[in-house]
Amino acid sequence: MPNPVILVVDDDPDVLRAIARDLRRRYGQDYRVLRASSGPEAIAALDELKERGESVALLLSDQRMPRMDGVAFLSEAMVQYPRSKRALLTAYADTDAAISAINRSQVDYYLLKPWDPPEERLYPVLDDLLSDWRAGYRPGYGGVRIVGSRWSPESHRVKDFLARNAVPYQFVDIESEEGIDALGSTDGEQVLPLVILSDGERMANPALGELADKLGLRTRAEDEFYDLAIVGGGPAGLAAAVYGASEGLRTVLIEREAPGGQAGTSSRIENYLGFPAGLSGADLARRAVTQAERFGVEILAPQEVERLTVDGPYKRLRLSNGSEVSCHVLMLAMGVAWRKLPAPGAERLAGRGIYYGAAMTEAIGCKDEVVYIVGAGNSAGQAAMYFAEYAARVVMLIRGGDLGSKMSHYLVERIEAHERIDVELNTEIVGCEGDDHLERLVLECSVTGDREAVETRYLFVFIGAAPNTEWLDGVVVRDTQGFVPTGPDLAEHELDGWPLERAPYLLETNVPGIFVAGDVRHESVKRVASAVGEGSVAVHFMHRHLATL
């Protein structure tokens, strides 16, 4: 395959020549830099690239151009190449237009003319954009193929696992000719999904831990003892890992699925400080993992903790593979999982058209479909915006009467202005129907009691949060819903066994040296920034605790 393309568009030939020269000097070895002198010419070039099946990494366009300005070009180009990074090259007077483009057209960044010196004012921004694009780039399929059914929960489980761990793969539908050829001749009935590794080894419906071992993912700790062990690889856990390891603590992080946690499945996080164009949860997770590993953090994923025991100052974790990890300080950052939809038929059709969370691996299949999303929080709103890039129409089902009661104002405005997103208030799902996959939903209006059946093959669920804390029973105090109280939230009777003269620190549980951060904490603020803040602040109290041992 030829190198991915960087396409630069400007109607001024001198500027076009200069920016192309600087781009080739920096990126010419890994990318092809193409030029276009107008928006229509650039659209025609993208049509040709699309027809040849070539990849476009970055679109960099001037704003002020006759016939089609930069925002209009980038908006139209997004239809052809939705995954490409998009940036505006603007004069200082056009910054308002650039910021508006970020809000309305999902432009990733804007750069000011002149961009000299490029080492300071051009390359750092483009390096970051291209790094993000590369993280999701799938040249071919990287040697891993999944042969399975489009509507199989087991196939979805494997696809989602590989995608969230940034392992390239190709999915081959068993009903296609390619799927039949890939399956080959078999004796008896073949168990699906079939995972075919790059060396030809075939794994029938593998356990994720077994597949991870084959792919070279780390699932076993190098040592038996660490200064700090972290359970959960979401924003809170990754923040604690970065701050702990950077301050000299030997750190291991244990994640049951993939680094990033629930936030890692978010299609877009737009209000995180320092990222004016927003970033996806996968991008945030990738950056945080790279940062943590640079400081020497061991990340075990997928790996699950089954039991916790406390022996004086030592905390011992028994893992699902039978091994044990001990530590002086333990951080609980398991986050939460989406609650299951209580409607009849939902459990049977889970993974067969009903998915929990954004499930971005299914986005391509949503092309030209009517997609339903149930939930009223930011995650649901971000998913609606994301799936609207692919689907013919997205319908949000809101149980309450106000879209803005649980959702950030900026998202409410975007959703209400989007031509392919509809919002139905006071609506609940009371039935899910279909044979081998979801075919229709039964909706009920909570005001009138009226019911209607609507046809759809895709429902994404974002309702409530359930903590995974059962394994803490008998050791760490939990509230009635399973969340973990800390510091001043601990009742007096919950500290009957507290052995120290000092009171628990702000983020410390009823057991000295066990801390909690993020969504799993009692009365936490369900935002990525607050989880990162708690994870980093907890490290300060960890050092104070360690100093007394």
Side-chain angles (χ1 to χ4, degrees):
M1 291 288 291
N3 283 343
V5 168
I6 296 175
L7 178 61
V8 57
V9 189
D10 200 305
D11 63 317
D12 186 323
D14 292 334
V15 173
L16 186 61
R17 200 162 35 245
I19 188 70
R21 177 201 64 214
D22 286 344
L23 292 177
R24 288 195 179 100
R25 186 174 64 188
R26 178 78 165 195
Y27 306 109
Q29 185 172 349
D30 299 315
Y31 299 88
R32 288 184 298 140
V33 179
L34 305 183
R35 297 184 292 178
S37 59
S38 69
E41 182 184 330
I43 292 295
L46 291 177
D47 287 337
E48 291 185 17
L49 292 169
K50 192 75 172 179
E51 188 173 338
R52 295 200 297 263
E54 297 192 36
S55 299
V56 176
L58 173 68
L59 302 166
L60 178 59
S61 174
D62 183 39
Q63 167 59 9
R64 291 192 179 185
M65 297 186 295
R67 297 167 55 195
M68 178 183 284
D69 64 22
V71 173
F73 160 67
L74 292 174
S75 297
E76 188 167 333
M78 186 171 67
V79 177
Q80 296 167 295
Y81 282 93
R83 297 184 182 275
S84 298
K85 295 298 178 180
R86 297 176 288 278
L88 274 175
L89 192 62
T90 69
Y92 182 79
D94 294 327
T95 54
D96 287 345
I99 293 172
S100 177
I102 288 175
N103 289 337
R104 293 186 293 105
S105 305
Q106 297 185 26
V107 172
D108 293 293
Y109 216 92
Y110 74 89
L111 297 145
L112 293 176
K113 299 179 182 179
W115 59 88
D116 291 327
E119 289 76 13
E120 295 179 11
R121 303 183 63 182
L122 178 67
Y123 298 150
V125 172
L126 299 189
D127 286 350
D128 205 35
L129 292 176
L130 290 170
S131 176
D132 282 352
W133 182 83
R134 277 281 181 187
Y137 178 45
R138 300 292 181 261
Y141 53 87
V144 177
R145 287 186 291 170
I146 305 169
V147 184
S149 168
R150 175 184 180 185
W151 303 115
S152 161
E154 292 78 14
S155 295
H156 170 72
R157 173 182 62 90
V158 175
K159 288 192 297 179
D160 193 58
F161 169 75
L162 294 179
R164 293 186 60 192
N165 282 279
V167 178
Y169 71 90
Q170 178 191 36
F171 179 72
V172 183
D173 197 307
I174 187 59
E175 297 181 4
S176 67
E177 289 187 13
E178 187 180 0
I180 295 172
D181 291 341
L183 197 60
S185 58
T186 58
D187 296 328
E189 186 175 349
Q190 174 66 58
V191 177
L192 296 177
L194 177 66
V195 178
I196 305 175
L197 304 180
S198 57
D199 61 1
E201 182 177 354
R202 301 158 80 90
M203 304 177 71
N205 193 21
L208 297 185
E210 181 185 1
L211 180 58
D213 287 338
K214 293 289 186 180
L215 295 172
L217 301 179
R218 186 197 296 269
T219 59
R220 292 182 177 272
E222 291 184 0
D223 297 323
E224 295 181 355
F225 187 84
Y226 295 82
D227 298 316
L228 168 61
I230 302 167
V231 183
L238 287 167
V242 168
Y243 278 85
S246 67
E247 295 179 14
L249 300 182
R250 177 79 168 121
T251 303
V252 62
L253 184 149
I254 305 163
E255 165 57 42
R256 65 184 300 189
E257 293 178 352
Q262 192 181 92
T265 67
S266 178
S267 52
R268 203 75 183 165
I269 303 169
E270 295 194 63
N271 55 359
Y272 191 62
L273 186 66
F275 294 88
L279 76 169
S280 71
D283 287 342
L284 178 63
R286 177 183 57 80
R287 293 165 184 261
V289 166
T290 301
Q291 198 171 13
E293 290 179 337
R294 186 165 65 88
F295 288 119
V297 177
E298 283 184 43
I299 298 179
L300 312 183
Q303 187 56 264
E304 189 168 4
V305 179
E306 294 185 337
R307 190 177 67 204
L308 165 66
T309 56
V310 176
D311 181 11
Y314 305 107
K315 289 81 183 168
R316 290 186 169 82
L317 301 171
R318 183 167 182 81
L319 308 184
S320 57
N321 63 2
S323 64
E324 283 195 355
V325 169
S326 300
C327 59
H328 276 310
V329 177
L330 174 64
M331 162 65 82
L332 304 177
M334 296 86 70
V336 293
W338 297 114
R339 294 192 185 278
K340 302 302 181 183
L341 187 69
E347 183 177 357
R348 180 176 61 85
L349 294 171
R352 304 176 186 272
I354 297 179
Y355 305 98
Y356 292 87
M360 289 183 285
T361 53
E362 306 300 328
I364 299 299
C366 295
K367 183 176 174 59
D368 300 326
E369 299 272 358
V370 178
V371 171
Y372 281 76
I373 291 175
V374 56
N378 276 13
S379 295
Q382 290 156 354
M385 295 294 296
Y386 176 77
F387 285 110
E389 295 183 22
Y390 299 88
R393 187 163 62 97
V394 173
V395 182
M396 294 192 70
L397 304 177
I398 311 297
R399 184 173 60 178
D402 180 12
L403 179 62
S405 62
K406 298 180 180 179
M407 191 179 297
S408 295
H409 180 67
Y410 81 92
L411 264 178
V412 174
E413 287 186 325
R414 304 268 182 85
I415 288 168
E416 290 177 342
H418 203 294
E419 60 182 6
R420 289 196 299 277
I421 300 178
D422 299 329
V423 178
E424 296 192 11
L425 303 175
N426 302 308
T427 303
E428 294 188 59
I429 299 174
V430 294
C432 305
E433 301 173 351
D435 294 328
D436 65 332
H437 63 86
L438 177 67
E439 297 177 24
R440 70 192 65 83
L441 300 172
V442 180
L443 308 181
E444 180 179 274
C445 175
S446 59
V447 176
T448 65
D450 294 340
R451 293 190 175 190
E452 67 167 331
V454 295
E455 293 188 359
T456 183
R457 298 197 291 179
Y458 289 95
L459 170 68
F460 298 91
V461 181
F462 301 83
I463 54 171
N468 173 35
T469 55
E470 293 82 1
W471 58 278
L472 299 175
D473 275 350
V475 180
V476 175
V477 167
R478 301 179 298 144
D479 66 19
T480 55
Q481 294 180 300
F483 294 93
V484 182
T486 60
D489 290 330
L490 286 162
E492 187 174 343
H493 72 274
E494 293 173 331
L495 293 172
D496 287 344
W498 182 259
L500 304 181
E501 292 185 5
R502 67 168 177 85
Y505 292 127
L506 181 65
L507 298 171
E508 197 171 19
T509 69
N510 65 302
V511 180
I514 299 182
F515 296 82
V516 180
D519 290 358
V520 75
R521 187 176 65 80
H522 171 77
E523 296 293 334
S524 66
V525 178
K526 305 299 189 287
R527 290 290 185 268
V528 172
S530 63
V532 170
E534 290 180 13
S536 57
V537 166
V539 174
H540 166 72
F541 296 113
M542 292 176 188
H543 279 291
R544 292 176 64 180
H545 172 75
L546 288 169
T548 66
L549 295 183

